[in-house]
Amino acid sequence: HAQQAKAATLRVQLREVDGALQSLDSREKEIQQLKREQSIDEKNYQNYADRAEEARIADDMNRLKLANVSVIEKGSVPTIPVSPKRMRNIALGAILGALAGIGFAFLSEHGTQSFSTPESVERRLGLPVLAAIPYREG
């Protein structure tokens, strides 16, 4: 009798588990159906939003009296940057820096009003140098 009662209890539990499984299966089917509906609704919304934007653009074009304007090809982001060109900039900077340095040195040497050697005094003034005082630090 104990075994039969235990078997009956197990049969009842098995029926409950089977009922729960069937309930889960039906809920899973419901969830899948809801996911499909959500996907369809999202596509419909995107389609509606695109058409609303096209209608807004058409209205703007009509208001501005534009006709026969269409997009031939959508713009795309370039994969290689157009600017800056590093090697060209470095080479150009080195060349311009060297030229500026040489030009500055030339102007500072020839633009000074002082005399640096006795020969430069004779050459510039056309007079002989009688005496020179040497420069000594300290």
Side-chain angles (χ1 to χ4, degrees):
H1 291 291
Q3 290 295 333
Q4 289 176 348
K6 194 174 187 180
T9 305
L10 287 175
R11 277 189 222 107
V12 170
Q13 287 177 351
L14 184 61
R15 277 189 226 119
E16 288 175 1
V17 169
D18 283 340
L21 279 175
Q22 288 177 355
S23 173
L24 285 175
D25 283 342
S26 67
R27 286 187 180 168
E28 184 178 348
K29 289 177 185 176
E30 247 181 75
I31 289 173
Q32 292 299 327
Q33 180 63 28
L34 288 173
K35 284 182 181 179
R36 271 186 252 141
E37 287 176 10
Q38 178 189 9
S39 174
I40 291 170
D41 289 343
E42 284 177 358
K43 287 178 186 175
N44 287 339
Y45 171 75
Q46 188 62 41
N47 192 12
Y48 172 75
D50 291 344
R51 293 204 182 198
E53 181 66 17
E54 288 174 8
R56 186 190 63 77
I57 291 172
D59 286 343
D60 287 345
M61 288 174 56
N62 286 338
R63 201 172 328 118
L64 297 173
K65 307 265 192 266
L66 294 176
N68 297 333
V69 176
S70 61
V71 176
I72 294 173
E73 184 177 335
K74 288 188 176 184
S76 62
V77 177
T79 56
I80 300 171
V82 176
S83 179
K85 295 180 178 164
R86 264 206 280 179
M87 291 308 293
R88 183 192 66 179
N89 290 350
I90 290 171
L92 194 60
I95 291 170
L96 290 176
L99 288 175
I102 291 170
F104 182 72
F106 180 76
L107 286 175
S108 68
E109 183 65 29
H110 291 293
T112 61
Q113 296 295 322
S114 63
F115 300 110
S116 56
T117 63
E119 291 82 24
S120 65
V121 173
E122 288 178 354
R123 193 175 44 239
R124 189 167 286 166
L125 297 177
L127 299 173
V129 175
L130 300 176
I133 300 173
Y135 178 75
R136 192 167 42 163
E137 285 193 31

